[in-house]
Each structure stands twice: as C-alpha cells, then as structure tokens.
Amino acid sequence: MTALVLMSWLVIMLMVAGVDIFLMANRFIVLNNTAQKALEMMKEEGRLTNEIEDIFFAELEQQNITRDSARIVDASTETVLRGEPIHLHVQARYELKSFKPLGMSSEQLTMNWGVRKTGISRRFIRPTFGGGP
C-alpha cells in the first residue's frame, strides 16, 4: 500500500514538473524571439538605443517576464556602419516551482539562459564633404 501511495505521489509530481518545464520552454522561446526583434531594430539603428531597450523590456513584460529576471548583458552600444558586425547578449533566469515541495532551495531550482544574437548593421551614413555654398 505504501508503494502505491509513493508511486502515485511520484507520478503527480512528474506531471506538475512537466507543466513547469513546458512553461519554462515557452518563456525561453519568448526571450529568444524578443531578442531577435531587438537585434533587427539594432541593425537599422546601428547600435542599441534606449528606445530599443525600452521596447525589448516592454515586450517581455507583456509575456510576464519582469526586468528583474531578464537583463541585457552585452550589446553593441557604439554606432557601427553598414556591413559591420552587431551583437546582443541577453540573460534571463527562471525558477522551477514544482520541485519546492521536495525541499530544494531556490539556488538549486533556478535556471539561467543566455541568448546571443549577432548580425550585420544596415545603417548607412552618407559622408558630407566640404562646407556650405
């Protein structure tokens, strides 16, 4: 009888963990897609601007990913010209909540993801020669 109770408890915990892992994977997909959108905007601007950063975090917050759990680790902040490489490195963390009843601490249940995106800048600045008329 005890084995039956333990097996049923184990099956229930695995089902709950499966849902938690599905949600974790969904959040990673959202982070990856949002980072790609931010990189596309960065290609047009030639760098990471404050507006692009605000749009990036606003889209993440629409998907319930807070600024506390996601951050921009490294990005091209200096303006680069057309054909030069541009990069974005985003990191996010997710805490698995389904294993807490087993007595695991928060450090053991936290997953950290890193998303690195690179591309080529499309910004073209036409050089100006000479002075006025």
Side-chain angles (χ1 to χ4, degrees):
M1 187 67 165
T2 304
L4 180 64
V5 170
L6 287 175
M7 289 299 287
S8 61
W9 182 77
L10 182 65
V11 167
I12 290 171
M13 287 299 294
L14 288 175
M15 288 173 51
V16 171
V19 170
D20 204 13
I21 291 171
F22 173 75
L23 292 174
M24 178 183 63
N26 188 28
R27 290 173 64 122
F28 177 74
I29 291 169
V30 167
L31 180 70
N32 189 31
N33 291 343
T34 307
Q36 184 64 39
K37 289 178 187 177
L39 182 71
E40 292 299 322
M41 289 185 278
M42 286 174 61
K43 287 178 183 180
E44 297 298 324
E45 291 293 323
R47 67 185 177 100
L48 177 68
T49 62
N50 291 333
E51 294 83 23
I52 294 172
E53 188 174 347
D54 291 339
I55 291 169
F56 173 75
F57 284 115
E59 286 192 27
L60 286 180
E61 287 176 2
Q62 286 179 351
Q63 298 294 326
N64 296 326
I65 300 175
T66 62
R67 278 186 183 243
D68 297 333
S69 64
R71 65 188 178 108
I72 297 175
V73 177
D74 188 30
S76 299
T77 55
E78 299 294 323
T79 303
V80 296
L81 298 178
R82 184 178 191 167
E84 294 180 9
I86 197 165
H87 70 280
L88 176 67
H89 180 201
V90 180
Q91 188 174 21
R93 69 178 193 280
Y94 180 73
E95 185 177 337
L96 294 169
K97 297 179 177 97
S98 61
F99 294 112
K100 278 191 175 181
L102 298 176
M104 295 181 160
S105 66
S106 292
E107 291 100 26
Q108 293 173 331
L109 300 173
T110 302
M111 305 267 315
N112 290 316
W113 299 309
V115 175
R116 294 179 191 263
K117 299 286 184 180
T118 58
I120 303 296
S121 176
R122 293 185 209 125
R123 182 172 176 96
F124 180 72
I125 300 174
R126 182 174 303 202
T128 58
F129 296 104

